[in-house]
Amino acid sequence: MKSLVIAEKPSVARDIARVLSCKGRKDGVLEGDRYVVTWGLGHLVTLADPEDYDKKYKEWKMEDLPMMPEHFRLEVIKQTSRQYQTVKAQIHRKDIGDIIIATDAGREGELVARLILKKAGNEKPLRRLWISSVTDKAIREGFANLKDGKEYEPLYDAAMCRAEADWLVGINATRALTCKYNAQLSCGRVQTPTLAMIAKREEQIKKFVPKPYYGIQAKGCGITFTWQDQRSKSTSTFDRKRAEDILNTCRGASALVVQVSKTPKKTMPPLLYDLTELQREAGRRYDYSAKETLNIMQRLYENHKVLTYPRTDSRYLTSDLVPTLKERLKACAVGPYRALAGPLITQSLPANPPFVNNKKVSDHHAIIPTEQYVQLDHMTIDERRIYDLVVRRFLAVMYPPYEYEQTSITIKAGEELFAARGSVVKSAGWKAVYEGEDGGSDFEDEEGEGTDGSVTAPKIASQKLPPVTQGDMLTGLAFSMTEGKTKPPAHFTEGSLLSAMENPAAYMESGDKAMAKTLGETGGLGTVATRADIIEKLFSSFLLEKRGKEIFLTSKAKQLLELVPADLKKPELTADWEMKLMQIAGRTLGRETFMRDIRVYSEELISQIKGGEGSFRHDNLTNHKCPQCGKRMLLVKGKNSEMLVCQDRECGYRETLSRTSNARCPNCHKKMELRGKGEGQIFVCRCGYKEKLKAFQERRRKEGAGVTKKDVNRYLNQQKKEAAEPLNNAFAQALAGLKFDE
């Protein structure tokens, strides 16, 4: 008898088949003497549409809500039905003795395989492959340590509960809002609280009143000193008169050096990357969206096999990985990393590395290089950039601390104290890995982010200090008053929004510490695997728009938040669900109990929406008539485009007016917009530069670069494809969100 291995994607299946010597090829199957390997294309099976339960659900009617299937049905996804039939045929082969689930190691990966097996009517025993990378070594070790499939049934129960609960709440609430207000309005327990967090930030910014603050500087002897309050150690004051009095007292005064201290200091290496931290860093450095970073990571994981599983929320490694570190160092010791990795390969690692902590790793460890030999010339520029971030961080954690000596000088002028600081590097340590870059330190919040405006002056800046001795008298100092204003919190960027979704406790109204703890432990709103898709969905639903790097709510989103039930806007709902899903996975809560509560909650939710007294108004109507139905069209801004969309959700017609391209302006080098249609298309830059598409192509051709006819045709075909897709089908969007809106 043979074992059937079901992988999540073809690329992973090919890797497994190669290791298992499955050389026989059939359509959708790779076969050997002992194993048969097949695959999904992500999900092949999903929860059935409402109309599969009753034909009347094809029409959206408020009186039919809530929809409450007694037993959830499964349906094969039409686009991938051929591969499903192939997998089903393998499951029922008489020479197949058992099934090995080899989908991604996590809750959603478990669901991918189990839905296929359930729909196909499998009754054969199950085993589970649980690995974090797809190198040959990891696959061999994984198959040598296969687990009994029964161990993962509670994880499957938790995954199924999540899917069914999102169906009941998401589809019912979306239909209710759409029917009630005759507009495409979707909601979910993750996307709606995410919108609410952005709304709260925008409200803070709107209400913020700048407050002036004042400081005093003293310059002389090659040093800039900053005034410090003797009690609070603050470097500024909101009292202008006090600042003026201090300035008048100090002017012309000599200053006594009352203290010179030299303190040895160390800075430990930053932690390894989890997906969220990597997405933030890639956004800050290269302006990649969260989705773009995840896609690049997937290629490096699946195709190049040089990085471990990307969808992780841990920044630590487990102790069993320590013996593999030298091999991983050797694999990535190429090109710019050879000299950096060399010393680490030859020396012994510390007995208890600080980046190893079994208790801080759940399903998957931090993102690190695999043992696969790296060929940098086979990577695109985007892949090289992301790989570079991960490898340098991997090397940095194994380097010693950055050591420096901090010198602090305190002087007294009159009765006031002034301070200056400087530092001397004693050992570059882990910072040598970054060769003078700023990438060594963790990504810091944007200026003013998350504050209430109470931050006043910056900290005392480090500078190069000349020799000064305690007791010296400094003369000829020039005193001056500095002035600034408190700043409001910054608007969200994708990076800071990811962080807020990961740690939404600050946006909880209840103040429930247990829920806040659960949100922290379970990864906040959504998961590392789904947040990028949720943000993309909010843009594609025209609930969010971008201005530069900053994210803003649209009018549609603001109205939606007024109309949606209060519970759906709170992170507490996800905290409550995740707490219970963890209990289901841990066998301490029954699946039936959880789903019974969800059904009751769904009924309450629909009742609230039905009784709502609000209204929805399209305030972005234009005079352009829809060429299909004749109704006036809406002007909407997507993430990277501006378009006209028919107001009738049943019609779904849309037309792109402009799109941010990758073409750079020859004057200011910023990305230009491509506007218009066909031969009349023109590139336009914010700086005022304009250039017709034909002229742009000719210029690029002369420069020896550029955009080929193939590139342009590919872009135009993509536009046509997007224009043909139904945009305002709220039900389709609701279903599309089910997989991701955790």
Side-chain angles (χ1 to χ4, degrees), residues 284-493:
R284 181 175 73 92
R285 283 170 158 259
Y286 307 119
D287 202 20
Y288 293 158
S289 71
K291 184 66 174 176
E292 285 174 322
T293 302
L294 178 55
N295 289 341
I296 296 166
M297 277 295 303
Q298 280 295 127
R299 296 199 299 271
L300 291 167
Y301 165 67
E302 290 180 9
N303 302 340
H304 297 281
K305 305 175 191 60
V306 294
L307 295 182
T308 55
Y309 188 69
R311 292 175 165 90
T312 176
D313 59 359
S314 177
R315 302 184 69 181
Y316 292 86
L317 304 180
T318 49
S319 55
D320 61 307
L321 287 167
V322 174
T324 72
L325 296 180
K326 287 292 180 74
E327 197 170 345
R328 295 171 193 269
L329 286 167
K330 290 175 184 176
C332 66
V334 299
Y337 317 115
R338 184 176 288 112
L340 296 168
L344 299 173
I345 295 171
T346 56
Q347 68 188 33
S348 58
L349 294 170
N352 298 302
F355 54 87
V356 175
N357 190 329
N358 292 351
K359 293 180 180 179
K360 294 189 177 182
V361 180
S362 51
D363 289 343
H364 301 286
H365 57 71
I367 301 167
I368 59 173
T370 65
E371 302 96 325
Q372 182 82 25
Y373 176 74
V374 178
Q375 292 180 287
L376 297 176
D377 55 341
H378 288 187
M379 295 182 189
T380 65
I381 182 64
D382 295 330
E383 291 165 351
R384 280 285 301 272
R385 285 171 170 173
I386 298 300
Y387 181 74
D388 182 77
L389 288 176
V390 175
V391 171
R392 289 187 187 274
R393 184 62 65 90
F394 175 64
L395 296 173
V397 298
M398 286 183 273
Y399 265 71
Y402 167 70
E403 297 183 32
Y404 62 100
E405 183 180 73
Q406 186 178 81
T407 301
S408 297
I409 303 173
T410 304
I411 62 173
K412 191 169 187 179
E415 295 301 317
E416 302 296 333
L417 296 180
F418 293 76
R421 290 195 188 120
S423 60
V424 177
V425 176
K426 295 297 182 181
S427 172
W430 60 268
K431 288 201 172 186
V433 172
Y434 290 92
E435 299 171 349
E437 300 179 19
D438 66 345
S441 59
D442 275 344
F443 177 90
E444 294 180 356
D445 289 343
E446 285 87 344
E447 186 178 5
E449 179 186 332
T451 72
D452 58 2
S454 59
V455 174
T456 56
K459 295 179 181 178
I460 298 171
S462 183
Q463 57 188 299
K464 190 172 182 180
L465 299 174
V468 175
T469 306
Q470 184 173 336
D472 285 354
M473 187 65 71
L474 306 182
T475 58
L477 295 176
F479 293 88
S480 62
M481 187 167 73
T482 60
E483 184 175 346
K485 287 186 177 180
T486 55
K487 294 181 179 179
H491 285 283
F492 279 116
T493 63

Side-chain angles (χ1 to χ4, degrees), residues 177 181 185 558-566 569 608-609 612-617:
L177 285 166
Y181 301 106
L185 299 173
K558 292 173 184 176
Q559 292 185 78
L560 173 63
L561 289 172
E562 292 293 324
L563 303 173
V564 76
K569 294 187 283 187
Q608 289 180 45
I609 294 173
E613 297 180 354
S615 62
F616 184 87
R617 179 175 60 88

Side-chain angles (χ1 to χ4, degrees), residues 116-131:
I116 295 170
L117 294 167
K118 185 177 180 180
K119 182 66 175 174
N122 173 64
E123 295 181 353
K124 295 176 180 178
L126 302 177
R127 289 188 286 169
R128 187 54 157 109
L129 174 73
W130 195 270
I131 56 177

